[in-house]
Amino acid sequence: MSGAAGCQGGGGGGGERGHRWRRPWKLLALGLLSASSVLAAAPGAGAMSKEEKRRLGNQVLEMFDHAYSNYMEHAYPADELMPLTCRGRVRGQEPSRGDVDDALGKFSLTLIDTLDTLVVLNKTKEFEEAVKKVIKDVNLDNDIVVSVFETNIRVLGGLLGGHSVAIMLKEKGEYMQWYNGELLHMAKELGYKLLPAFNTTSGLPYPRVNLKFGVRHPEARTGTETDTCTACAGTLILEFAALSRFTGTSIFEEYARKALDFIWEKRQRSSNLVGVTINIHTGDWVRKDSGVGAGIDSYYEYLLKAYVLLGDDSFLERFNTHYDAIMRYISQPPLLLDVHIHKPMLNARTWMDSLLAFFPGLQVLKGDIRPAIETHEMLYQVIKKHNFLPEAFTTDFRVHWAQHPLRPEFAESTYFLYKATGDPYYLEVGKTLIENLNKYARVPCGFAAMKDVRTGSHEDRMDSFFLAEMFKYLYLLFADKEDMIFDIEDYIFTTEAHLLPLWLSTTNQTISKKNTTTEYTELDDSNFDWTCPNTQILFPNDPMFAQSIREPLKNVVDKSCPRGISRAEESLGSGPKPPLRARDFMASNPEHLEILKKMGVSLIHLKDGRVQLVQHAVQAASSLDAEDGLRFMQEMIELSSQQQKEQQLPPRAVQIVSHPFFGRVVLTAGPAQFGMDLSKHKAGTRGFVATIKPYNGCSEITNPEAVKEKIALMQRGQCMFAEKARNIQKAGAIGGIVIDDNEGSSSDTAPLFQMAGDGKNTDDITIPMLFLFNKEGNIILDAIREYEAVEVLLSDKAKDRATIFKGKMIPNYIIDSNLEMENMDQNLSENDSHKQNAEEATSASQDVGAVSEEPEEGESSDVTDPDSLSPANADSDSVSISNQDSYVPGTDKAGAPEPACTRGDNQPQEQKTEAESNSKVNWDNKVQPMESILADWNEDIEAFEMMEKDEL
């Protein structure tokens, strides 16, 4: 998701609005910059020097080159790069990842998504070469089913953004003189291929379309869906309207407007909120929770930006109506929590997803700076704790979903807050983002997504939006105006950060600007800002304004926020009390029991001391009380599931620290419920690995001399895990790693696995035991075959390499420069250094989670989908819940995939292979021999050495 180039603005109402757009927008954007100079000079603000900004800007360029060149060398023409295995991700040739693969259409996705980034980063020669490759190689007529949302924002948006900067460069006279609108022709072709998705009575598009056969064709393999997410249907207007304005073909803008009109009409009238998922045929809300994160986010963004680009008052009216509802119900500073659209005083869940990180940037564009600063600071504190923003985290800032696919939304908001305030604090935030990417995500073939932010383990994934957005925002954050070859203020950013020129507002205006908003509701114009806020009143005269807002939030993550008066209590005053919340319920409170009775909820005390809750809606005092009872039960289910989840041990890390890996390969390991607790031994257990005999470890070890003082490797199966641990401990091992015997098992397709004891007292086991899946275990076995001596570190999470190798001989380019490099010995030869750094990635692999198989006797797979857990099996103080009248609606499964548009990390699904036609490009996997890969990395190694004290 992306913002716009400057502050949202414009004149008053009237049909002449479009003619006044371009210059007012630019002046308003410059007004923000001039206002920000007040804060830039604030005393004690620690303004960053121009040299430091230039150095960081150059570092962003180097990072982009590292990612882009590896994609072009190892992956193109595939859609995306797999940075751990140095090859392209080709749909149908890799195990299915579910909805996330719907972004892949065999159309060189990453290259198209990166086109205008090349120009923003002043890489005009590379841009010209990339455009020629797209024109020559990309085929849009593949027999493949793709997401309408992702294809629109990434591919159609990428082609339009590329066309926008191509005609700008051609006009300047130096580059692209041969260009004759080829990218626009491709965009129009793609636009027509997306139109069949709109063949519904509502005007809302199907979530997926076949590029070759459309939706209704017998060979389309789609068109049976009934639901789509709000953002999926509501994030089309910028690209479709731009396509209409560029080509003079109005049908695209008409279809996108119709979809937006329908969503607006179906909003919940009393709260003015929209749900996450809607039925594309009936318009009924399927998921009735509402927030600003996954599933809804860019719908709000596009309402505001459609007003900017198209000059239609109705879009601003709708945005302001929604924004008022968001700030009234969803915003609970500094949190943004989902609520029920019918009962907006009730939170729908107790966690937030990372996609809401875009919202502070949107608030800046709206001109609402204070809440933007508050939410951004809260998110930054989460990042400082975990190095990255987890995919989801709870209201007390614990990890809910641990993945991080290198999302750019936080960098986007950082850029806009710096643009609005000029506060150098946000430059330091950007510096932290750069350091973390280089320190934790950088691998020899690009940047790898984080499988688990708690352990630092990687996933073989580098999404196209990383190149399209992340480097664009980071470079713009540190760039001065003279660093740009064009004026960025002449463009608006799409949600994928693609550039659309503002002069489109006055071009090919074939759509009547009938204001349909007031047909649905009476609006009070006094509530709406019709122009961009005066920058003089965005900030008080106090130059420390932004800092004063941030200061109370500095410790918000480490200390749980004190619970003050609830919004319901505040709004109701001395009136009726708000509904009972599950988190507040006490079985010993007579008042609570009376409330339960009114809601039709019965409380039963079981013999073992547990309490069971049962709801009968017909026994409630009224229909409203019955509804409150349903919501109470839903909250209780989620709360109980969360408590179950908290009882499970977190994943552990196996870090290969010997030559040539030097700590850069981190594998996620399943913990054991016995043996050394690595969370209490921060140094971990370090040693060389040895394979035991017998390999299953189920009898006395016959090679104790090889195992003594080493970490034993053994195979899963044939006996209890605890028995294996006792046998290797008796042989003198200092730790053990159990490798799964299920061929091909991997964290890609299974949840985390946890080793259980044998039902006896296991206090005699004192060594640490960890579990690796077959694919990840083979990384260590392959390393033994090639290098013989392999040393690993077993720990609760990955350790910093400078900590691991303090006082040891190691090439200095392996160690992060800001961590005691002065004391590191540098006595390895340069050629040997090259070989070590290059070979380390041969074992880089996707990190380990767990196998989804039936556990053996004595084994336990403890990490289960929280919503599938039976609350009756919890500890003695737990609550058992049942609803005998109806299913409790709206209960989310932790890890259940969002609709196709949400970009959420999908949890493992059943593997499937889709038969797809060959395009005119050779789509075979580029699997290279070892010698070729080592040679390819030599240039990267030299670049690392030249970076001196910069972060790797």
Side-chain angles (χ1 to χ4, degrees):
M1 179 278 163
S2 304
C7 179
Q8 312 298 334
E16 299 280 338
R17 177 186 304 277
H19 296 285
R20 294 180 286 161
W21 264 116
R22 188 175 183 184
R23 301 325 302 175
W25 170 280
K26 186 169 183 179
L27 290 173
L28 288 162
L30 294 176
L32 275 177
L33 293 177
S34 63
S36 68
S37 63
V38 177
L39 287 180
M48 183 177 287
S49 67
K50 192 167 185 177
E51 293 73 20
E52 177 72 355
K53 285 182 64 178
R54 179 64 56 87
R55 184 189 73 81
L56 290 169
N58 289 337
Q59 192 168 4
V60 172
L61 293 176
E62 186 280 330
M63 293 165 66
F64 172 83
D65 289 340
H66 178 66
Y68 179 70
S69 62
N70 274 288
Y71 165 74
M72 293 304 295
E73 186 170 355
H74 297 296
Y76 182 79
D79 283 316
E80 290 180 342
L81 170 68
M82 299 172 69
L84 297 183
T85 51
C86 293
R87 58 198 174 104
R89 183 180 297 280
V90 180
R91 194 166 172 189
Q93 296 184 16
E94 302 292 336
S96 172
R97 300 176 298 169
D99 288 346
V100 72
D101 279 342
D102 288 341
L104 312 180
K106 292 187 176 179
F107 34 36
S108 301
L109 174 63
T110 296
L111 183 60
I112 292 177
D113 219 1
T114 308
L115 288 177
D116 53 7
T117 302
L118 290 166
V119 179
V120 172
L121 272 56
N122 300 338
K123 298 182 179 294
T124 48
K125 290 183 180 178
E126 292 89 337
F127 171 73
E128 193 156 5
E129 294 171 0
V131 172
K132 290 178 180 178
K133 284 183 179 292
V134 169
I135 296 170
K136 174 177 176 290
D137 295 340
V138 172
N139 177 23
L140 298 174
D141 196 40
N142 300 312
D143 178 13
I144 190 168
V145 176
V146 296
S147 161
V148 173
F149 169 82
E150 297 289 357
T151 305
N152 172 64
I153 66 170
R154 300 202 207 187
V155 186
L156 182 58
L159 292 171
L160 292 172
H163 173 71
S164 298
V165 294
I167 58 178
M168 177 270 296
L169 291 174
K170 183 176 182 179
E171 186 178 339
K172 288 181 176 292
E174 184 176 355
Y175 296 99
M176 303 299 293
Q177 297 306 299
W178 54 270
Y179 182 71
N180 194 32
E182 289 85 352
L183 294 179
L184 181 60
H185 298 320
M186 295 179 68
K188 188 174 182 180
E189 177 190 355
L190 181 59
Y192 277 119
K193 289 183 175 296
L194 295 179
L195 286 185
F198 292 83
N199 189 15
T200 62
T201 55
S202 67
L204 299 178
Y206 283 96
R208 298 172 185 84
V209 67
N210 187 300
L211 290 177
K212 190 177 186 69
F213 297 110
V215 172
R216 297 290 181 85
H217 193 279
E219 298 181 58
R221 303 189 305 281
T222 189
T224 59
E225 304 94 339
T226 59
D227 307 333
T228 192
C229 71
T230 301
C232 299
T235 311
L236 299 161
I237 187 64
L238 292 189
E239 292 83 1
F240 273 47
L243 183 57
S244 288
R245 302 297 175 96
F246 271 129
T247 63
T249 306
S250 63
I251 188 172
F252 305 108
E253 185 173 342
E254 291 171 357
Y255 274 62
R257 281 177 176 264
K258 184 179 179 182
L260 273 182
D261 290 345
F262 190 82
I263 294 174
W264 169 253
E265 184 178 3
K266 292 298 180 179
R267 77 195 185 285
Q268 210 291 320
R269 301 302 176 89
S270 62
S271 67
N272 281 320
L273 294 172
V274 293
V276 173
T277 310
I278 190 171
N279 186 296
I280 60 177
H281 303 296
T282 66
D284 295 333
W285 292 109
V286 179
R287 279 187 53 187
K288 300 178 182 180
D289 45 320
S290 183
V292 296
I296 302 180
D297 49 1
S298 49
Y299 162 68
Y300 295 132
E301 176 192 5
Y302 269 36
L303 285 177
L304 185 52
K305 292 182 181 177
Y307 170 61
V308 172
L309 187 62
L310 308 177
D312 189 332
D313 293 349
S314 66
F315 293 130
L316 180 61
E317 294 177 4
R318 296 177 192 183
F319 173 79
N320 279 325
T321 300
H322 285 314
Y323 187 77
D324 177 71
I326 291 169
M327 300 309 292
R328 186 186 304 271
Y329 304 120
I330 296 170
S331 176
Q332 302 176 44
L335 310 180
L336 292 164
L337 291 176
D338 285 18
V339 299
H340 300 279
I341 59 175
H342 297 287
K343 284 260 185 170
M345 288 295 184
L346 290 179
N347 291 336
R349 61 189 189 189
T350 58
W351 49 271
M352 295 165 279
D353 66 73
S354 62
L355 285 172
L356 62 75
F358 90 99
F359 198 66
L362 189 63
Q363 289 179 306
V364 169
L365 302 180
K366 160 71 175 171
D368 200 0
I369 303 296
R370 177 181 289 273
I373 293 173
E374 290 174 336
T375 298
H376 179 274
E377 182 62 23
M378 176 270 293
L379 294 170
Y380 185 44
Q381 296 303 318
V382 175
I383 288 174
K384 289 205 291 188
K385 182 174 183 178
H386 300 293
N387 300 319
F388 298 98
L389 198 61
E391 276 292 79
F393 54 94
T394 62
T395 53
D396 53 356
F397 309 108
R398 289 173 296 174
V399 173
H400 187 69
W401 295 337
Q403 309 97 318
H404 174 76
L406 307 182
R407 294 199 185 278
E409 285 76 17
F410 181 78
E412 169 195 349
S413 288
T414 302
Y415 163 62
F416 283 108
L417 272 168
Y418 176 67
K419 192 175 183 66
T421 67
D423 191 336
Y425 176 84
Y426 296 108
L427 296 178
E428 296 297 332
V429 173
K431 181 179 179 180
T432 299
L433 298 182
I434 292 173
E435 291 173 345
N436 288 351
L437 284 170
N438 277 320
K439 189 173 182 180
Y440 301 109
R442 185 165 184 151
V443 294
C445 272
F447 291 83
M450 306 307 295
K451 179 75 174 179
D452 193 314
V453 298
R454 296 166 297 188
T455 64
S457 53
H458 291 137
E459 187 175 359
D460 202 1
R461 169 181 181 182
M462 189 177 83
D463 291 85
S464 69
F465 54 72
F466 182 62
L467 285 166
E469 300 184 65
M470 180 68 82
F471 295 115
K472 196 174 289 177
Y473 286 123
L474 288 178
Y475 182 76
L476 289 172
L477 178 63
F478 296 104
D480 293 321
K481 192 168 184 178
E482 58 267 25
D483 297 325
M484 304 292 296
I485 61 174
F486 67 100
D487 192 344
I488 195 71
E489 305 296 345
D490 286 338
Y491 296 83
I492 188 171
F493 287 145
T494 69
T495 197
E496 191 79 2
H498 293 308
L499 299 173
L500 298 178
L502 291 170
W503 54 257
L504 287 175
S505 62
T506 60
T507 303
N508 292 322
Q509 297 183 50
T510 57
I511 307 296
S512 63
K513 295 181 182 178
K514 180 183 178 182
N515 188 336
T516 57
T517 302
T518 52
E519 295 179 10
Y520 307 124
T521 184
E522 291 294 329
L523 292 174
D524 179 5
D525 285 356
S526 64
N527 291 329
F528 304 130
D529 296 325
W530 288 99
T531 59
C532 185
N534 186 330
T535 55
Q536 298 303 314
I537 63 171
L538 283 180
F539 315 104
N541 293 329
D542 180 8
M544 305 298 287
F545 172 69
Q547 181 178 334
S548 68
I549 298 174
R550 291 192 302 266
E551 197 61 35
L553 301 170
K554 289 296 184 184
N555 299 316
V556 70
V557 172
D558 295 326
K559 299 178 182 178
S560 260
C561 293
R563 184 169 174 262
I565 187 168
S566 71
R567 289 174 302 145
E569 292 165 347
E570 185 178 35
S571 63
L572 293 173
S574 59
K577 292 184 178 181
L580 178 64
R581 305 301 299 273
R583 65 171 181 244
D584 301 326
F585 172 68
M586 295 179 62
S588 59
N589 188 321
E591 184 179 356
H592 289 183
L593 298 179
E594 186 63 29
I595 295 174
L596 289 187
K597 185 177 179 181
K598 285 185 62 179
M599 295 190 299
V601 179
S602 302
L603 184 143
I604 303 172
H605 292 275
L606 303 179
K607 292 180 179 180
D608 57 9
R610 289 178 297 130
V611 172
Q612 184 178 36
L613 297 177
V614 181
Q615 200 226 9
H616 300 274
V618 295
Q619 296 180 4
S622 68
S623 59
L624 288 177
D625 289 318
E627 186 177 351
D628 287 341
L630 282 173
R631 301 197 193 291
F632 175 83
M633 298 294 285
Q634 179 184 345
E635 288 182 3
M636 187 61 77
I637 290 172
E638 185 173 346
L639 183 63
S640 179
S641 298
Q642 183 67 29
Q643 290 172 345
Q644 291 264 341
K645 192 174 182 180
E646 290 167 6
Q647 295 169 7
Q648 297 153 9
L649 295 174
R652 307 303 186 199
V654 175
Q655 195 167 6
I656 308 179
V657 298
S658 55
H659 163 83
F661 307 97
F662 301 114
R664 293 190 67 89
V665 175
V666 182
L667 307 173
T668 300
Q673 296 175 350
F674 53 86
M676 178 190 292
D677 184 353
L678 290 170
S679 66
K680 297 179 180 178
H681 295 76
K682 295 301 181 182
T685 297
R686 176 171 175 167
F688 288 91
V689 296
T691 304
I692 63 172
K693 297 179 182 178
Y695 190 31
N696 60 31
C698 292
S699 58
E700 185 175 351
I701 307 303
T702 60
N703 61 335
E705 69 287 345
V707 176
K708 187 175 183 180
E709 299 300 321
K710 294 184 179 179
I711 295 174
L713 299 179
M714 68 211 79
Q715 189 177 48
R716 177 187 183 184
Q718 301 184 36
C719 65
M720 303 291 186
F721 289 124
E723 184 177 348
K724 298 176 190 285
R726 290 188 178 97
N727 288 333
I728 64 171
Q729 181 173 283
K730 183 178 179 181
I734 60 175
I737 298 175
V738 179
I739 298 176
D740 190 23
D741 59 346
N742 183 16
E743 187 68 29
S745 66
S746 168
S747 60
D748 295 339
T749 55
L752 182 70
F753 186 83
Q754 189 166 287
M755 295 186 289
D758 55 3
K760 305 174 185 177
N761 190 317
T762 55
D763 291 345
D764 59 312
I765 303 174
T766 59
I767 60 174
M769 294 288 291
L770 296 180
F771 179 90
L772 287 180
F773 285 102
N774 185 267
K775 180 179 177 181
E776 287 77 14
N778 281 334
I779 293 174
I780 296 180
L781 297 177
D782 291 343
I784 293 175
R785 283 190 282 270
E786 184 152 356
Y787 304 107
E788 295 185 1
V790 176
E791 189 179 15
V792 301
L793 173 65
L794 312 183
S795 60
D796 62 331
K797 60 182 179 181
K799 305 299 182 186
D800 188 279
R801 291 187 293 281
T803 302
I804 297 172
F805 297 110
K806 185 176 181 180
K808 297 181 181 292
M809 293 183 295
I810 190 74
N812 66 351
Y813 60 80
I814 295 295
I815 303 298
D816 299 305
S817 61
N818 62 333
L819 296 171
E820 302 181 76
M821 284 190 57
E822 297 82 356
N823 299 324
M824 307 303 290
D825 294 325
Q826 303 179 25
N827 56 358
L828 291 179
S829 69
E830 181 178 353
N831 290 338
D832 197 28
S833 299
H834 287 191
K835 181 179 179 183
Q836 289 174 358
N837 191 284
E839 290 175 341
E840 70 178 71
T842 63
S843 294
S845 171
Q846 301 184 29
D847 316 318
V848 181
V851 186
S852 54
E853 67 175 27
E854 292 296 324
E856 301 175 21
E857 183 181 357
E859 300 175 2
S860 124
S861 182
D862 277 1
V863 177
T864 311
D865 187 338
D867 286 305
S868 67
L869 293 171
S870 170
N873 294 329
D875 293 337
S876 59
D877 60 348
S878 67
V879 177
S880 177
I881 307 164
S882 64
N883 186 321
Q884 298 183 358
D885 286 350
S886 62
Y887 170 71
V888 178
T891 303
D892 299 330
K893 283 200 173 188
E898 297 285 353
C901 68
T902 63
R903 290 201 205 160
D905 260 286
N906 297 91
Q907 301 306 307
Q909 299 189 7
E910 182 180 344
Q911 294 189 11
K912 60 183 178 182
T913 302
E914 186 173 345
E916 292 146 348
S917 65
N918 294 326
S919 69
K920 61 185 178 183
V921 182
N922 179 14
W923 290 101
D924 293 337
N925 251 332
K926 293 186 177 181
V927 180
Q928 297 175 292
M930 177 74 70
E931 295 77 8
S932 175
I933 293 178
L934 294 178
D936 290 340
W937 288 339
N938 280 336
E939 293 183 7
D940 291 330
I941 305 305
E942 293 168 3
F944 292 164
E945 291 177 314
M946 292 174 63
M947 292 172 69
E948 298 181 340
K949 291 189 177 183
D950 289 347
E951 287 288 335
L952 286 180

